Amino acid sequence: MMIPLRDFGSRKIRKRWQLAFRALSFVTSLSKKVAMNSALLLGPAVNRTQSYVSIDMPTTITDPGFLADLDKDSLANLVKDKSFDDLQKFGGTKNLVSMLETDERNGLSCDLGGMKKRVEVFGSNTYKKPPVRSFLSFVVEALKDSTIIILFVCAVLSLGFGIKQHGIKDGWYDGGSIILAIVLVLAVSAISNFKQSRQFTELSSQSSNIEVEVMRDGRRQSVSIYDVVVGDVVCLNTGNHIPADGLFLDGHSMKVDESSMTGESDQVEISEIDNPFLISGTKVMDGYGHMLVTSVGMNTAWGQMMSTITHDVNEETPLQARLNKLTSFIGKVGLLVAFLVLVVLMIRYFTGNTSDDSGRKEFIKGQTNANHVMNSMVGIIAAAVTIIVVAIPEGLPLAVTLTLAYSMKKMMADNALVRKLSACEIMGSATVICTDKTGTLTMNKMLVTEFWFGKESMQLGRSTEIIRPGVLELLQQGVGMNTTGEVHASPTSAFPEISGSPTESAILSWAISDMQVNFQQLKDQNTILQVEPFNSQKKRSAILVRNNDTGVLQLHSKGAAEIVLAMCSTYHARNGMLQAINGDERKQLEAIITDMAARSLRCIAFACKMLNEGSELRTELLQEPGLTLLGFVGLKDPCRPEVKAAVESCRKAGVGIKMITGDNIFTARSIALDCGILKPDEDLNDAVVEGVTFRNYSPEERMERIDRIEVMARSTPFDKLLMVQCLKQKGHVVAVTGDGTNDAPALKEADIGLSMGIQGTEVAKESSDIVILDDNFNSVVTVLKWGRCVYNNIQKFIQFQLTVNVAALVINLVAAISSGSVPLTAVQLLWVNLIMDTLGALALATEQPTDDLMTKKPVGRTEPLITKIMWRNLIAQAVYQVTVLLVLQFRGSSIFGVNKNVKDTLIFNSFVFCQLFNEFNARKLEKKNIFEGILKSRLFLGIVGITVFLQIIMVELLQRFASTERLNWGQWAACIGIAVVSWPIGWLVKCIPVTRKQE
């Protein structure tokens, strides 16, 4: 067909050519895929002859541009408004699946171009975040500090009067030095806070990046929540967060908690007819199913709400709150001292008791001019204000921030994602850890090792040869249909891909290899009518299925062996005949379960019940007794090899370990013995208890027994919560591990909640403070060690910081009262404040955890922040520094034969080096060997080196700025010698025993 050139450019013609080109491209690409893997895409639909290849084409060839023609606003409002009218406009859920060019069963194709197109048309599943605070905002925040404002006013006055009195060439030094010091303090403070803000924002973003299971290319895949697109089919299970707005496709017994959006605490039932709307940000509390994603990111109500929420990256932890009180108290003491210094200096000045460098009185009534008086007043006020600055330990909050930020980063490398800052420090005080078994103490690699058919043990791999076909069919149906896992035939592997929980995956793998289950055939032959999902309270699941050919109704139950057995009245013998379960038969079957449990096997039972074709469908039907036992499987999940050493480490650290599991008492006892939680020689009757027994204790009996209980078997989430509450009432600081939705109450109630990153549900993770990324108990112990390290590092810095504060306050106060001048100027004290607060905090806050931390008893709830040991070390060093520096103040000139300026420089230099050497003492609060592990602390040594270099620059090159004089080699040696004495003093002081409180 010839097309005139003038028409070729028309939109209509151009669109036809595009459609033709796309159709040809589609055929070409499809034929290539068929040639590569015909079984995967079209199976028997490809017919080859000698002359041609015929392909069964889809009934409609979709235009990739077709997505752009959808009314995106209506699509977005569909779920937000829960509008059935809008849903009807789209032709219902099934038609919307076609319009979004997806497949209800197989999901989307993993075509990057198609995914990109969907993101361009519908947006990505990300939210607009509030703007990140700029560096300038942190500078402005630092400028609001009242002491900085007062110092700045003093600096401006000093600058003005200095220039007026001495001219601009020499008059700017005093005021300019103070301004420069203020700028340095502001810069360090702002940079530090800015960096921590960025780091916390990054960690927050990382904790929000959860994995979501979607169907793509016909199989279940895990993708980031940020990669979910419109048209995706998402797999939802109990405990999952709903990642986007969408519509319910299929599933059973799904209930959703919409309180995060509506505020209503009641769970909403989801169904295809009555309520198919699934809202982003809500939680699946029961059941499972699939949903079609209709809108993502900012097009959802959750996205719009999240974009308005600002996360507080400056969260105040309990330790920071305690330190703020301490800082406030010290600040008040500093304010009092500064006021006394101000009053004393004023009185001495106006009474003529102060003299200048030439020895003349600074103030003579009626002779001294106003400018000189104002200059003197500014100097006196600056000295008093500077005392306030050096007295207030601003470094304490900074040290906490640095320690928390550093430990959070390091803990991430050790498989622990900290969601709440306070958890870092509280974990250091933990006295009890309540831990799960599966995946935490064990390897979470389930494998079916035994199969019992009735009372007979079957050899794995030969079950289908021995069991009669009719019974085998029932067993295959119970295993293959009553599951939340999925099996996908992999084109690249002989064995299918299996997805689901470790227990489900192990059973499905056994079903394929031993029971020869054909899952696709089962799904085609049977229809699921009702489902009772598994949860931690019932410890069983049940389904009602109908055979599509015969119409027969069959009830299948699966779960904890003793619970399923209790519902059974008959079982199948080897010959396939039904046998009644009488008293003796029941004892024999229970003995089989007990024996398997004693060998650390998790025992799962399968049972069924034939129902009349006309049976009324009701929920109670799935809970009826009178079932027929089909068999037991024993699953082995061996202990992690490193767990025993980790448990022993906790014991040495004075931290109790309590295992809380849903397994029966025999399995729980066996695993606890393997892990070292129980000792073979201890009284196991007191140490092991079942959940129902613990629950039925009186409150007084629970409190009396709680410390002796080490294992709780057959526990429900309520039992776990009850144990946490009892332990807290007893005064313990409790850490709890959990992975399920029903663990959320216990995780929230605990002082520190630790959720599992692999098998943990999103509800559990949201309720926790720390996510253990590898589900390993060893990582829990690592978190404990880091928590203790945080607390210990803070204590080190408190001791170091308070020594500086006490020494500076006493020296300036005594000197001001006795001589009318302070030996440490405003700039010098600001310099000490800067290097001691910032560099000192950085040096001590980044000390790595050591094994010594796990040999001490936990601090618990009542241990004071400043211990007797810290007071002992602090007072000894402060007394020494004050004594030496006051001797220099009053006798320094005669001892060294120098003038006042050099003497003041010696005091300043000795003071700085005393703090520097005392920093080594602070590394070890109790140990006499302060150099242990020093070579591993490269950052500490680097900071000490930087401080020494900067101090040399201050004394030798910045005389005008720092009001110092150059010192000779002998004077430098004297300063260092004075400082070195702090080491033997620290060693001697640590020989003094300190009584500890009774544990």
Side-chain angles (χ1 to χ4, degrees), residues 354-576:
T354 56
S355 55
D356 58 19
D357 294 340
S358 306
R360 291 177 298 182
K361 288 184 177 181
E362 286 192 315
F363 179 80
I364 300 173
K365 191 173 182 182
Q367 296 181 18
T368 306
N369 62 43
N371 284 342
H372 190 277
V373 172
M374 287 301 297
N375 280 335
S376 299
M377 288 300 98
V378 168
I380 291 171
I381 293 170
V385 171
T386 309
I387 288 174
I388 299 174
V389 173
V390 81
I392 298 174
E394 300 97 337
L396 293 182
L398 176 63
V400 176
T401 304
L402 287 171
T403 304
L404 292 175
Y406 180 76
S407 61
M408 283 171 70
K409 191 173 181 180
K410 289 291 184 179
M411 286 166 73
M412 187 71 182
D414 288 335
N415 294 308
L417 173 63
V418 179
R419 298 184 69 252
K420 295 181 182 176
L421 283 178
S422 56
C424 289
E425 64 195 44
I426 298 174
M427 193 66 188
S429 307
T431 58
V432 174
I433 299 174
C434 297
T435 178
D436 278 340
K437 175 186 75 70
T438 305
T440 309
L441 298 174
T442 59
M443 296 181 71
N444 203 27
K445 293 181 179 177
M446 297 295 238
L447 183 69
V448 174
T449 58
E450 289 188 22
F451 170 48
W452 288 73
F453 179 66
K455 295 188 294 182
E456 293 193 46
S457 177
M458 309 294 288
Q459 182 181 345
L460 294 180
R462 298 195 59 198
S463 304
T464 53
E465 301 173 12
I466 300 170
I467 302 174
R468 290 183 61 179
V471 180
L472 179 64
E473 187 179 338
L474 288 174
L475 190 54
Q476 289 175 330
Q477 192 181 70
V479 174
M481 299 295 289
N482 189 10
T483 180
T484 56
E486 290 192 15
V487 177
H488 172 71
S490 172
T492 58
S493 173
F495 200 81
E497 292 180 4
I498 299 172
S499 58
S501 69
T503 302
E504 292 286 353
S505 297
I507 292 174
L508 293 177
S509 179
W510 164 75
I512 294 168
S513 58
D514 193 37
M515 303 300 296
Q516 308 298 315
V517 175
N518 186 323
F519 289 88
Q520 192 57 54
Q521 184 178 330
L522 277 176
K523 289 180 180 179
D524 293 341
Q525 290 177 349
N526 301 279
T527 301
I528 297 176
L529 302 177
Q530 281 185 281
V531 174
E532 183 182 37
F534 178 90
N535 66 39
S536 303
Q537 292 175 319
K538 298 191 296 281
K539 299 193 182 302
R540 55 178 284 275
S541 62
I543 62 166
L544 181 64
V545 298
R546 181 180 61 214
N547 187 293
N548 296 333
D549 297 328
T550 63
V552 172
L553 296 179
Q554 196 82 327
L555 169 65
H556 286 278
S557 185
K558 176 184 78 175
E562 63 269 30
I563 290 175
V564 173
L565 178 61
M567 301 178 70
C568 294
S569 56
T570 56
Y571 74 98
H572 281 286
R574 183 186 181 94
N575 58 11

Side-chain angles (χ1 to χ4, degrees), residues 258-396:
E258 296 185 353
S259 59
S260 58
M261 293 299 297
T262 64
E264 298 292 334
S265 57
D266 293 337
Q267 294 178 9
V268 178
E269 194 163 340
I270 303 296
S271 65
E272 193 174 353
I273 298 171
D274 297 327
N275 181 22
F277 305 107
L278 292 161
I279 304 172
S280 173
T282 57
K283 309 165 194 173
V284 179
M285 303 307 291
D286 202 3
Y288 61 90
H290 296 88
M291 69 171 275
L292 171 71
V293 175
T294 57
S295 52
V296 294
M298 292 305 297
N299 291 321
T300 65
W302 179 258
Q304 292 171 3
M305 183 178 73
M306 287 298 290
S307 66
T308 63
I309 296 175
T310 57
H311 295 282
D312 183 15
V313 296
N314 296 316
E315 170 198 355
E316 185 177 81
T317 69
L319 184 56
Q320 282 175 324
R322 290 173 74 183
L323 286 177
N324 285 341
K325 290 181 180 179
L326 178 64
T327 302
S328 176
F329 173 75
I330 296 171
K332 289 174 183 176
V333 173
L335 190 63
L336 178 62
V337 172
F339 179 74
L340 289 174
V341 169
L342 180 67
V343 171
V344 169
L345 291 180
M346 287 282 194
I347 292 172
R348 289 182 65 91
Y349 177 78
F350 286 110
T351 56
N353 287 315
T354 56
S355 55
D356 58 19
D357 294 340
S358 306
R360 291 177 298 182
K361 288 184 177 181
E362 286 192 315
F363 179 80
I364 300 173
K365 191 173 182 182
Q367 296 181 18
T368 306
N369 62 43
N371 284 342
H372 190 277
V373 172
M374 287 301 297
N375 280 335
S376 299
M377 288 300 98
V378 168
I380 291 171
I381 293 170
V385 171
T386 309
I387 288 174
I388 299 174
V389 173
V390 81
I392 298 174
E394 300 97 337
L396 293 182

